Amino acid sequence: MSGLAGRFVCVLCLITLLLAAVPGHAGSPRSIYVPVYSSVVYGNKERTLSLTTMLSVRNTDARLPVTLTEVRYVNEKGQTVRNYLSAPLLLPPLGSARFIVDERDDTGGLGPSFIVTWNAAGPISPLLVQGVMIGTAGTQGISFITEGRPLP
């Protein structure tokens, strides 16, 4: 291999390695784990307050869309309870989607989670994926969020 051809191959290898390390590169689906809560314990008698859970998925990239390929609700034993998508869902640049678990739904147990799998046509800015929990009892209310974490 001549010197010029060898350099060209090295540059192509370097570009391939760099693109493979960037989230959202085409052909490399990524997954995010989001812990959520279907209820919280309160008071000294260990009473529970049921919560409505909303999963919010936001494409923070202003240039490229993101395709959600799977949104799974997983119970505390790690078993899939529900898959929210029957087909891939395209999020446009700066677009978002939400998925709801009703406060009466206790199928996830006390420590459920969501697994969100996605990909993009090129390098993009990271997705913002959050669990938003809201509950009320009488005149009392509680709300809080959890952040998703990329899975290896």
Side-chain angles (χ1 to χ4, degrees):
M1 191 178 294
S2 72
L4 183 58
R7 284 188 212 129
F8 181 71
V9 169
C10 286
V11 168
L12 282 179
C13 290
L14 181 60
I15 290 171
T16 301
L17 287 172
L18 289 173
L19 287 176
V22 177
H25 181 66
S28 59
R30 305 292 175 151
S31 294
I32 298 174
Y33 171 85
V34 189
V36 294
Y37 300 86
S38 56
S39 63
V40 291
V41 176
Y42 69 98
N44 57 5
K45 295 182 182 174
E46 293 195 28
R47 294 177 286 187
T48 59
L49 174 62
S50 295
L51 304 172
T52 298
T53 301
M54 179 181 77
L55 177 73
S56 174
V57 181
R58 296 172 182 263
N59 179 2
T60 65
D61 198 273
R63 299 171 299 106
L64 293 175
V66 169
T67 301
L68 301 181
T69 56
E70 188 174 58
V71 176
R72 289 188 297 132
Y73 184 55
V74 178
N75 68 18
E76 65 188 350
K77 295 178 182 172
Q79 301 162 330
T80 298
V81 172
R82 175 179 315 114
N83 192 342
Y84 279 84
L85 297 180
S86 58
L89 176 63
L90 187 70
L91 291 184
L94 303 177
S96 65
R98 65 180 171 85
F99 306 91
I100 306 291
V101 180
D102 188 89
E103 75 176 41
R104 294 175 302 244
D105 184 343
D106 61 0
T107 58
L110 295 176
S113 60
F114 279 95
I115 304 294
V116 177
T117 304
W118 62 279
N119 60 33
I124 65 163
S125 57
L127 292 183
L128 177 60
V129 184
Q130 298 174 311
V132 181
M133 279 64 60
I134 301 170
T136 59
T139 60
Q140 301 291 321
I142 184 173
S143 64
F144 58 98
I145 64 170
T146 58
E147 296 286 331
R149 296 185 186 268
L151 291 173

